[in-house]
Amino acid sequence: MKFREFLEFRPKCVFCKIAILFSFIIILTGADLIVKEVAHNNLRGQEDIVVVPGFWNFKYVVNDDIGFSILSWLNKYLDKNQKWMFMVFLQASGYIVFIVFYFLSQNLKQLIPLALIISGALGNCINRIMKGYVVDYVMWFYKDFVWPIFNLADVYTVIGASLLMIVIFFFSKDDDFSLSS
C-alpha cells in the first residue's frame, strides 16, 4: 500500500475508527504525560538546561493558565479554583468537539491530525486535573524575545491543527466529511 493510498483509506466500521483513534491517543498522550513527569522530576528547582545556546533551553515552568496565557485577564474576576474549573471545562468541551468532528471524518488523512489535537488537549487536561497546573518545559528565545514556554502536548495540538487545516483546504473532497459511513 502506497502512502497516498494509506491516507485515503476509509475504515469501514465505527469500531475500526475508534480503535485507530484510541491507539493514537493512548500512545501520544502517554508519551506526553511521561515527558512531563520526567521534566517535573528533573527540571523543577534546577537551572535551565541549555540545548542550543542563545535559542533553546529546557526550563521548568508551572502553567496555571491556558493557551499562551490568553485567559490571564480572568484572574481579576475568578478565584483560582473557579478559573481552574473553567479551564478544565473549556478543554473538555474542545475535546468533545473534536471527538464529534472525528466521527464525521471519513479517512485517515483527517483521523491522524484529529488524534494529535485530541491527544494534546487530553494530555494538558489530565496534567491540569492531576496537578492543578500544566508542566511546560521548552523555552525558545532569541536575545530579548522569548516565545511562550510550551510542552509536547502543545506541539501535538499545533501540528495537528496545522495538518488538519492543510488537509481540509487542499486535500479533501466534499464526501470526506459526512454523517454516513
Side-chain angles (χ1 to χ4, degrees):
M1 179 181 289
K2 295 178 184 168
F3 185 68
R4 185 161 183 85
E5 291 171 352
F6 173 74
L7 291 178
E8 294 294 331
F9 174 72
R10 293 174 181 249
K12 300 258 188 259
C13 65
V14 172
F15 175 76
C16 297
K17 287 173 71 171
I18 292 171
I20 291 169
L21 175 71
F22 282 123
S23 297
F24 276 110
I25 288 175
I26 288 168
I27 292 167
L28 295 172
T29 304
D32 171 61
L33 293 173
I34 289 168
V35 171
K36 283 178 185 162
E37 195 59 30
V38 168
H40 179 75
N41 292 335
N42 296 307
L43 296 175
R44 183 178 46 158
Q46 304 296 320
E47 292 291 319
D48 295 0
I49 296 174
V50 177
V51 179
V52 177
F55 178 70
W56 179 3
N57 288 357
F58 286 131
K59 176 184 184 76
Y60 181 82
V61 174
V62 170
N63 182 355
D64 60 355
D65 212 335
I66 195 170
F68 305 118
S69 299
I70 60 173
L71 296 181
S72 59
W73 60 273
L74 283 176
N75 292 338
K76 57 184 164 185
Y77 301 108
L78 302 175
D79 68 30
K80 188 173 181 153
N81 290 333
Q82 291 170 324
K83 185 177 176 186
W84 180 86
M85 289 295 292
F86 178 72
M87 288 189 297
V88 169
F89 171 77
L90 198 60
Q91 284 182 307
S93 298
Y95 181 70
I96 291 167
V97 166
F98 277 99
I99 290 286
V100 170
F101 190 70
Y102 168 79
F103 281 106
L104 294 177
S105 63
Q106 296 296 317
N107 53 36
L108 288 181
K109 67 184 173 193
Q110 289 100 17
L111 301 183
I112 293 169
L114 289 169
L116 284 165
I117 294 167
I118 291 167
S119 296
L122 188 60
N124 280 341
C125 194
I126 289 170
N127 200 219
R128 187 172 310 281
I129 289 169
M130 290 176 62
K131 294 189 181 295
Y133 54 85
V134 173
V135 173
D136 287 336
Y137 49 84
V138 178
M139 182 172 109
W140 286 347
F141 60 95
Y142 182 72
K143 296 184 182 180
D144 291 333
F145 173 78
V146 178
W147 186 259
I149 299 173
F150 59 96
N151 60 43
L152 187 56
D154 300 329
V155 173
Y156 292 160
T157 303
V158 169
I159 291 173
S162 300
L163 287 174
L164 187 61
M165 291 299 108
I166 290 167
V167 165
I168 288 171
F169 290 118
F170 298 108
F171 298 105
S172 289
K173 298 175 253 155
D174 289 338
D175 65 341
D176 282 344
F177 297 97
S178 70
L179 290 173
S180 62
S181 49

